[in-house]
């Protein structure tokens, strides 16, 4: 496949997953609108159809809750065989629920970053003006409803909020959750994808159990902070939020809006991020379990997300890259691993070549990493990873994730964000002047 046809095929994947209202992340496995998928899909669409990109964002924002929460899934009344279905969430028990069926949790806040990226290439002041209040209220909700210890760092309450659903970072936390009720349910995620590529049953039961806890608490944010058995400060989520706050700030300036509130969020996060997450002994960022007050000492590619946000010092970035990213025992190709970059360090006992977030290469993680490396001047390494990423897609198609050993495509086929990011990463698009 040539690069030109890669671009054409990426466009056709995005077109074929377009329902006319929103774009499905994957044709069968993910039939509704997912939050951070949509942001990336809009970024991809902006390369060839800006009005459609804007429509994608409007569709996502139509699911915003009245208190500002932007849910992780908007169902848009589309019937499907997806589990959990919209009714399972019982969001109507919250006074803040919107008129559209949605889930009751959120996802990493990439949207402001994507909107700023698009706006910097194809200025769209009217659109920015239109969506700015919704972005601001989502960020405000995150900084107020999810700041459990007034540190400026926000919490996630469910592994699905991390976007890296069954990452080994969550394993021992999930195992410690005692299931007080055993809900009866039929998983839908192994219908189209082999079970070996999906989360284990024990984790999945806890995913569903947590939803039951939240719906019994009517999604009242303060109650969730007190009672959720899962309460974590996630490096990835916080790094993305910091970057998104910076981008929101830039949008505010472009609209001549006040920035004091955003300045406050940025300075508290800047003050506490490294103190909370950086481990000087090993030279890695680790997540933090607020419930137990303990650091989660599991080495996954989320440790590189602060690079995307510009949060590490030069020395910290050097340690991340030289001691870990370039180490074949962890992330660099070597031995049985032939591709950049496994989502979990190869040395972690929970590593599995083809299981979801346990080891495979995800295009989104490579994109974060490439952007982060460029930000810190590692241009050659960023270029190596960019080419390897495009090579994986060329050989295996637009898959949800890839086996880092043999490059085999796994999970959903025709996966929208892999197509969107192929457009973002491809040289021909960069040459069109859109590659910033
Ligand atoms: C999986 C991923 C999540 C993504 C969703 C839809 O659940 O873990 O990050 O948003 O699929 O693609």
């Amino acid at each position: 496949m040539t690069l030109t046809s890669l671009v054409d095929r990426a466009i056709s994947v995005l077109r074929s997953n377009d329902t006319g209202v929103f774009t499905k992340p994957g044709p069968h496995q993910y039939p509704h609108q997912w939050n951070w998928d949509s942001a990336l899909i809009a970024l991809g669409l902006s390369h060839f159809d800006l009005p459609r990109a804007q429509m994608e964002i409007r569709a996502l924002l139509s699911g915003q809750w009245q208190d500002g929460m932007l849910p992780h899934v908007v169902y848009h009344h589309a019937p499907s065989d997806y589990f959990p279905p919209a009714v399972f969430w019982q969001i109507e028990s919250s006074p803040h629920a919107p008129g559209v069926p949605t889930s009751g949790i959120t996802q990493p806040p990439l949207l402001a970053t994507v909107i700023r990226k698009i706006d910097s290439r194809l200025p769209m002041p009217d659109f920015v003006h239109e969506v700015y209040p919704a972005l601001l209220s989502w960020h405000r909700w995150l900084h107020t409803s999810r700041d459990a210890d007034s540190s400026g760092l926000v919490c996630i309450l469910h592994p699905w909020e991390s976007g890296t659903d069954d990452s080994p970072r969550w394993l021992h936390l999930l195992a410690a959750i005692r299931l007080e009720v055993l809900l009866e349910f039929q998983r839908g995620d192994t219908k189209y994808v082999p079970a070996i590529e999906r989360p284990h049953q024990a984790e999945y039961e806890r995913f569903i159990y947590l939803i039951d806890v939240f719906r019994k608490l009517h999604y009242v944010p303060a109650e969730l902070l007190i009672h959720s058995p899962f309460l974590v400060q996630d490096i990835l989520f916080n790094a993305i939020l910091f970057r998104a706050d910076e981008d929101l700030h830039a949008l505010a300036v472009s609209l001549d809006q006040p920035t004091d509130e955003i300045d406050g969020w940025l300075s508290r996060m800047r003050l506490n991020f490294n103190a909370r997450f950086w481990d000087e002994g090993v030279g890695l960022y680790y997540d933090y379990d607020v419930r137990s007050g303990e650091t989660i000492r599991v080495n996954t590619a989320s440790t590189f997300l602060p690079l995307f946000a510009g949060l590490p010092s030069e020395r910290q970035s050097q340690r991340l890259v030289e001691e870990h990213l370039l180490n074949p025992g962890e992330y660099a190709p070597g031995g049985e691993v032939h591709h950049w970059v496994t989502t979990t360090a190869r040395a972690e006992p929970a590593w599995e070549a083809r299981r979801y977030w346990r080891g495979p290469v995800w295009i989104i993680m490579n994109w974060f990493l490439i952007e982060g490396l460029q930000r810190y001047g590692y241009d050659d390494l960023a270029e190596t990873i960019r080419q390897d990423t495009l090579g994986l897609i060329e050989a295996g198609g637009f898959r949800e994730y890839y086996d880092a050993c043999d490059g085999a495509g796994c999970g959903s086929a025709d996966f929208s964000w892999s197509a969107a990011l192929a457009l973002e990463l491809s040289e021909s698009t960069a040459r069109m002047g859109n590659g910033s």
Side-chain angles (χ1 to χ4, degrees), residues 47-80:
H47 286 288
F48 61 95
D49 189 345
L50 182 62
R52 182 63 191 80
Q54 294 175 341
M55 183 177 152
E56 191 70 24
I57 294 167
R58 285 193 187 103
L60 177 64
L61 293 176
S62 74
Q64 186 163 35
W65 287 32
Q66 282 150 38
D67 60 358
M69 202 265 283
L70 197 60
H72 102 294
V73 178
V74 184
Y75 288 81
H76 292 291
H77 304 281
S80 78

Side-chain angles (χ1 to χ4, degrees), residues 288-305:
Y288 182 74
D289 177 8
V290 178
R291 214 25 104 222
S292 69
E294 283 171 15
T295 295
I296 304 169
R297 304 184 69 81
V298 181
N299 180 3
T300 72
S302 303
T303 201
F304 302 121
L305 257 291

Side-chain angles (χ1 to χ4, degrees), residues 14 32 65 86-87 118 161 188 224 286 330 397 409:
L14 289 175
H32 302 286
W65 287 32
V87 289
I118 300 174
E161 291 197 322
L224 299 184
Y286 283 134
E330 297 183 32

Side-chain angles (χ1 to χ4, degrees), residues 78-375:
S80 78
D81 56 2
Y82 180 76
F83 182 85
V87 289
F88 189 83
W89 293 91
Q90 300 173 4
I91 60 164
E92 60 287 351
S93 72
S94 161
H96 301 301
V100 183
T102 74
S103 70
I105 57 174
T106 191
Q107 249 190 342
L110 258 189
L111 192 58
T113 296
V114 160
I115 290 175
R116 184 183 177 201
K117 253 185 197 294
I118 300 174
D119 184 55
S120 67
R121 300 166 186 172
L122 305 163
M124 43 179 196
D126 292 347
F127 183 75
V128 172
H129 183 263
E130 173 192 330
V131 297
Y132 179 78
L135 291 175
L136 181 65
S137 86
W138 184 25
H139 286 221
R140 184 179 291 140
W141 179 85
L142 287 167
H143 283 288
T144 51
S145 300
R146 289 303 184 82
D147 186 348
D149 57 4
S150 306
S151 61
L153 304 170
V154 303
C155 292
I156 58 167
L157 308 179
H158 193 294
W160 290 351
E161 291 197 322
S162 76
T164 63
D165 308 7
D166 82 328
S167 169
R169 303 185 281 160
W170 318 136
L171 268 186
H172 78 275
L173 274 63
L174 290 172
I177 297 176
R178 214 167 43 85
L179 304 185
E180 281 163 13
V181 276
L182 273 180
L183 293 165
E184 278 193 27
F185 64 91
Q186 190 70 43
R187 282 174 73 162
D189 64 311
T190 48
K191 189 167 166 189
Y192 301 108
V193 171
I196 191 174
E197 297 174 17
R198 299 290 306 173
H200 292 281
Q201 184 65 13
E203 277 86 77
Y204 208 90
E205 281 173 2
R206 280 151 181 88
F207 296 160
I208 301 307
Y209 172 76
L210 285 169
I211 299 174
D212 190 45
V213 171
F214 302 161
R215 61 189 189 180
K216 284 185 178 136
L217 295 168
H218 310 300
Y219 300 100
V220 176
E223 294 290 311
L224 299 184
L225 288 188
I226 296 169
H227 299 290
S228 172
F230 187 96
L231 189 71
V232 167
Q233 287 168 347
D234 168 7
I235 322 158
L236 177 147
F237 198 105
N238 279 280
I240 288 176
L241 178 58
F242 181 82
R243 165 81 186 257
D245 280 340
E246 282 190 333
D247 293 319
L248 190 68
H249 188 283
L251 295 175
V253 169
S254 77
L255 294 172
D256 217 6
Q257 291 291 312
T259 59
D260 299 6
E261 188 180 10
I262 307 173
D263 285 329
W265 299 334
L266 285 166
S267 63
R268 278 197 308 154
M269 182 93 85
R270 205 178 283 110
L271 188 69
N272 292 318
F273 192 95
N274 282 299
R276 167 64 30 100
F277 297 125
W278 177 252
D279 185 311
E280 180 61 21
V282 290
L284 284 171
Y285 287 99
Y286 283 134
D287 307 277
Y288 182 74
D289 177 8
V290 178
R291 214 25 104 222
S292 69
E294 283 171 15
T295 295
I296 304 169
R297 304 184 69 81
V298 181
N299 180 3
T300 72
S302 303
T303 201
F304 302 121
L305 257 291
L307 298 169
F308 175 74
L311 281 157
S313 65
E314 286 298 319
R315 198 183 60 83
Q316 286 170 320
S317 72
Q318 237 171 17
R319 293 198 63 190
L320 284 171
V321 172
E322 286 165 23
E323 294 175 29
H324 302 286
L325 183 57
L326 294 174
N327 176 355
E330 297 183 32
Y331 295 101
E336 61 187 337
V337 172
H338 291 105
H339 296 281
W340 300 90
V341 55
T342 77
T343 37
T344 297
R346 183 67 192 87
E348 282 292 335
W351 194 89
E352 289 186 66
R354 294 202 174 177
R355 197 181 297 280
Y356 214 30
W357 290 97
R358 294 289 178 83
V361 177
W362 283 73
I363 305 303
I364 189 173
M365 297 303 278
N366 283 15
W367 178 68
F368 288 135
L369 188 55
I370 291 164
E371 289 244 325
L373 290 171
Q374 286 169 342
R375 199 166 174 160

